[in-house]
Each structure stands twice: as C-alpha cells, then as structure tokens.
Amino acid sequence: MIIDLPDTTTRDINKRLIKARDEGGAIALGRVLTLIIDADAHDPEEAIEAANAASREHPCRIIVITERTGEREAGLDAQIRLGGDAGASEVVILRISGGVTRHVDTLVMPLLLPDAPIVVWWPYDVPANPSEHPLGRMAQRRITDTTTCPRPSRALRDLARVYEDGDTDLAWTRATLWRGLIAATLDQPPFEPVHRAVVIGESTHPSVDLMAAWLAQSLRCPVEIERVPGAPAITQVRLERTSGDIVLDRPDGKTAALRQPDQPEHRIALPIRQLRECLVEELRRLDADEVYGDVLQKGLARIDA
C-alpha cells in the first residue's frame, strides 16, 4: 500500500501512520530500529530496495530523505509505503526543498520509533564528518559508502581524520569474506610470518585500500597495491612466506582459487557482494567496529595512497 501526502507536515504523517496501524493491525509493532537514509538529491529507489530486503532480517522503520532539486520554496511532500511495498518494514519518504533542508534532524525526530536504536545511512554522498552531521549526532551507527565517491581513496582518508565509534563504511563490509578466508588460512600450519603482501584490484575501489590496510595493520608487513582499471573489485591477495606464497585469486568476480604450498587448489564461491547483503551485515551490530576503526585510522597510514 502506498499513501501519498503532498504539501504535508510530520504531524500529519504521524497521524496517517497511526491510522494505518489501526486499520491494518500491528503493522508498526516489532520494529527493532529506525533506519534513516539520507539520499540527498539522488534517486533513492535503489537504496530503498536494499533497505526493504534488509528489513526482512531487521524489521525497522525506514525514513528516507531526498531533496527536490530546482525548488527554492520550503516544502515537504511525503509518501508512506506499507505491506508488500515496504518489505518487512514501513517506509516514509520525505521529499524536501528550500529551508527545510537545513533542519533535517528536527524533521525526522517526530517520526523516530520510541526507545529504538537509530542507524543513519548515506548511500551516495559521504558527509565531511558523519558523527557531526545533524542526523549522525542522533545515531548509534553511521554508515557511509565510499564506493560511490568520485575519489574513494581520498574519501577514506578524510573519514579516517574524523572517525568516531559507530562509524563504518560499506567498502569495508564488501571485503568481509576476503578477510575471513585470509584469516582462516593463516590459522593453519605452518605458522610462519608473512614477509610481504600484495593486493590486486580495481584501480579506484576503496575495498582494495581497506583490504591492504587491514593486512598492513594485522601482519605488520609491507603491503603493495596493484591497481587494475576495470577489474571486478578485489581480484587477488598474495601473501609471501618462506615456505611459499598463499594466493587467493578471483579474476572473474565470482569464483576464487585458493593456492597454498603442498596443498591442492581449492575453488571457493566468492561473488561480489550485493548492496543488500552488506546492509544486512551492518545492521546486525550496533556497537563500535573497533577493527574497522584501527584499520581506518592506523592501517591506511601504513600503505601508499
């Protein structure tokens, strides 16, 4: 069900949500958090689709803020999506213009679920300081996505300077499976130190930088990045040890080959992670990701930009 509310107020939106709950039963009960999506002037539909999919594991109220470009007069149009149009959640889309854009925090406050954690997600434009953003100040978790930035590596280093507990980035989440496989491999004998590591991947993909920074921070060894224009994200991680190299190779973005000395080659399904998978993972935890914080603040400094 889709309910359009042109030229409205947050008070009227709340009334309509309550009415929908009364008419449709416990539609707003059982929500575990409020997810705020700040889409700025971008089309929010891709982000909404990912949030709807994530809501099946994390039922929530989704509040989407998007700006109407080319309009100077202050205004607010809203749309409420319920039932099959909202996954396992309820979606409130706020289309704002004019002076309203300067007060997004007060705009969403009346729509927040009471006594529920707040997560803010910027799927397109990364704020200069997520924790000091009007929406970020009210949130327990703040999710950015540097893969959408024109200069991802620089964006990561900008985020490193302003990092606060609760910040995270989906470029970090996209590399979770790679980190897990590498860590599991190093937990097997022989337990030798890694003398050098090499990460190969797409020339501007921030997951490549974060993977290299994680290796540098964890292994305390030199890490080199080989950037390949047009490659499917991370394509290879190579760890050089005395007994021979450990190589995790995924040239096609789908299936990886794990090669180790004196062992047969292992084939592993390792497709590029979709946006909804990454969002689901980040919504599973509301505490600080200390490993990400260390990698962002210390690991990046150990590798060349």
Side-chain angles (χ1 to χ4, degrees), residues 175-302:
T176 297
L177 300 180
W178 282 85
R179 298 196 308 274
L181 287 169
I182 292 297
T185 302
L186 291 174
D187 280 341
Q188 302 172 14
F191 302 105
E192 297 176 326
V194 176
H195 304 303
R196 179 174 173 268
V198 179
V199 179
I200 304 174
E202 209 282 324
S203 55
T204 62
H205 203 293
S207 295
V208 174
D209 295 75
L210 289 172
M211 187 69 191
W214 174 71
L215 290 170
Q217 180 67 12
S218 302
L219 302 178
R220 297 295 199 274
C221 70
V223 180
E224 179 183 338
I225 298 177
E226 294 183 13
R227 302 183 185 275
V228 181
I234 301 172
T235 57
Q236 187 183 104
V237 173
R238 184 169 72 251
L239 307 180
E240 298 177 1
R241 302 193 298 185
T242 302
S243 62
D245 295 353
I246 297 173
V247 180
L248 184 59
D249 191 24
R250 186 190 64 179
D252 62 357
K254 298 177 182 179
T255 305
L258 177 61
R259 296 187 288 273
Q260 304 174 77
D262 303 320
Q263 291 193 31
E265 179 177 294
H266 298 283
R267 305 290 291 180
I268 304 166
L270 190 61
I272 294 176
R273 303 190 79 188
Q274 300 301 307
L275 180 61
R276 65 184 67 185
E277 297 176 69
C278 297
L279 185 60
V280 165
E281 180 178 322
E282 286 303 331
L283 294 181
R284 287 182 186 140
R285 61 180 304 166
L286 296 175
D287 58 327
D289 189 337
E290 296 177 355
V291 177
Y292 168 73
D294 283 345
V295 168
L296 191 68
Q297 294 180 289
K298 301 175 184 178
L300 281 177
R302 297 178 179 273

Side-chain angles (χ1 to χ4, degrees), residues 64-85:
V64 183
I65 302 170
T66 179
E67 293 186 22
R68 297 181 298 190
T69 57
E71 295 188 32
R72 295 185 177 180
E73 185 177 348
L76 168 63
D77 293 340
Q79 185 181 85
I80 299 173
R81 300 182 184 179
L82 305 168
D85 296 294

Side-chain angles (χ1 to χ4, degrees), residues 3-303:
I3 304 168
D4 289 310
L5 299 172
D7 192 19
T8 188
T9 65
T10 51
R11 182 179 179 183
D12 290 339
I13 297 170
N14 247 331
K15 287 182 177 178
R16 192 64 185 87
L17 282 169
I18 293 172
K19 182 180 179 183
R21 181 189 63 193
D22 293 340
E23 292 174 348
I27 196 167
L29 302 181
R31 307 303 187 224
V32 298
L33 58 89
T34 300
L35 174 61
I36 302 174
I37 302 175
D38 187 356
D40 199 36
H42 300 270
D43 183 349
E45 290 302 327
E46 181 182 6
I48 293 173
E49 182 181 352
N52 283 343
S55 73
R56 302 188 187 281
E57 182 172 325
H58 309 283
C60 56
R61 173 174 289 179
I62 301 170
I63 302 173
V64 183
I65 302 170
T66 179
E67 293 186 22
R68 297 181 298 190
T69 57
E71 295 188 32
R72 295 185 177 180
E73 185 177 348
L76 168 63
D77 293 340
Q79 185 181 85
I80 299 173
R81 300 182 184 179
L82 305 168
D85 296 294
S89 296
E90 52 195 3
V91 180
V92 181
I93 303 173
L94 306 177
R95 297 186 175 92
I96 60 178
S97 61
V100 178
T101 60
R102 296 191 294 271
H103 306 284
V104 290
D105 51 343
T106 57
L107 182 67
V108 302
M109 279 181 184
L111 301 174
L112 300 175
L113 293 175
D115 303 319
I118 301 168
V119 178
V120 180
W121 174 30
W122 292 274
Y124 305 106
D125 297 326
V126 175
N129 189 336
S131 64
E132 289 300 318
H133 187 280
L135 296 174
R137 282 196 294 264
M138 65 174 67
Q140 284 74 38
R141 289 278 282 174
R142 297 166 294 274
I143 304 172
T144 53
D145 192 352
T146 50
T147 58
T148 62
C149 295
R151 300 179 67 182
S153 295
R154 180 172 180 176
L156 283 177
R157 284 161 174 78
D158 290 342
L159 288 173
R161 287 192 287 270
V162 297
Y163 173 82
E164 293 289 342
D165 288 349
D167 293 353
T168 194
D169 192 274
L170 292 185
W172 171 250
T173 321
R174 289 183 173 93
T176 297
L177 300 180
W178 282 85
R179 298 196 308 274
L181 287 169
I182 292 297
T185 302
L186 291 174
D187 280 341
Q188 302 172 14
F191 302 105
E192 297 176 326
V194 176
H195 304 303
R196 179 174 173 268
V198 179
V199 179
I200 304 174
E202 209 282 324
S203 55
T204 62
H205 203 293
S207 295
V208 174
D209 295 75
L210 289 172
M211 187 69 191
W214 174 71
L215 290 170
Q217 180 67 12
S218 302
L219 302 178
R220 297 295 199 274
C221 70
V223 180
E224 179 183 338
I225 298 177
E226 294 183 13
R227 302 183 185 275
V228 181
I234 301 172
T235 57
Q236 187 183 104
V237 173
R238 184 169 72 251
L239 307 180
E240 298 177 1
R241 302 193 298 185
T242 302
S243 62
D245 295 353
I246 297 173
V247 180
L248 184 59
D249 191 24
R250 186 190 64 179
D252 62 357
K254 298 177 182 179
T255 305
L258 177 61
R259 296 187 288 273
Q260 304 174 77
D262 303 320
Q263 291 193 31
E265 179 177 294
H266 298 283
R267 305 290 291 180
I268 304 166
L270 190 61
I272 294 176
R273 303 190 79 188
Q274 300 301 307
L275 180 61
R276 65 184 67 185
E277 297 176 69
C278 297
L279 185 60
V280 165
E281 180 178 322
E282 286 303 331
L283 294 181
R284 287 182 186 140
R285 61 180 304 166
L286 296 175
D287 58 327
D289 189 337
E290 296 177 355
V291 177
Y292 168 73
D294 283 345
V295 168
L296 191 68
Q297 294 180 289
K298 301 175 184 178
L300 281 177
R302 297 178 179 273
I303 63 173

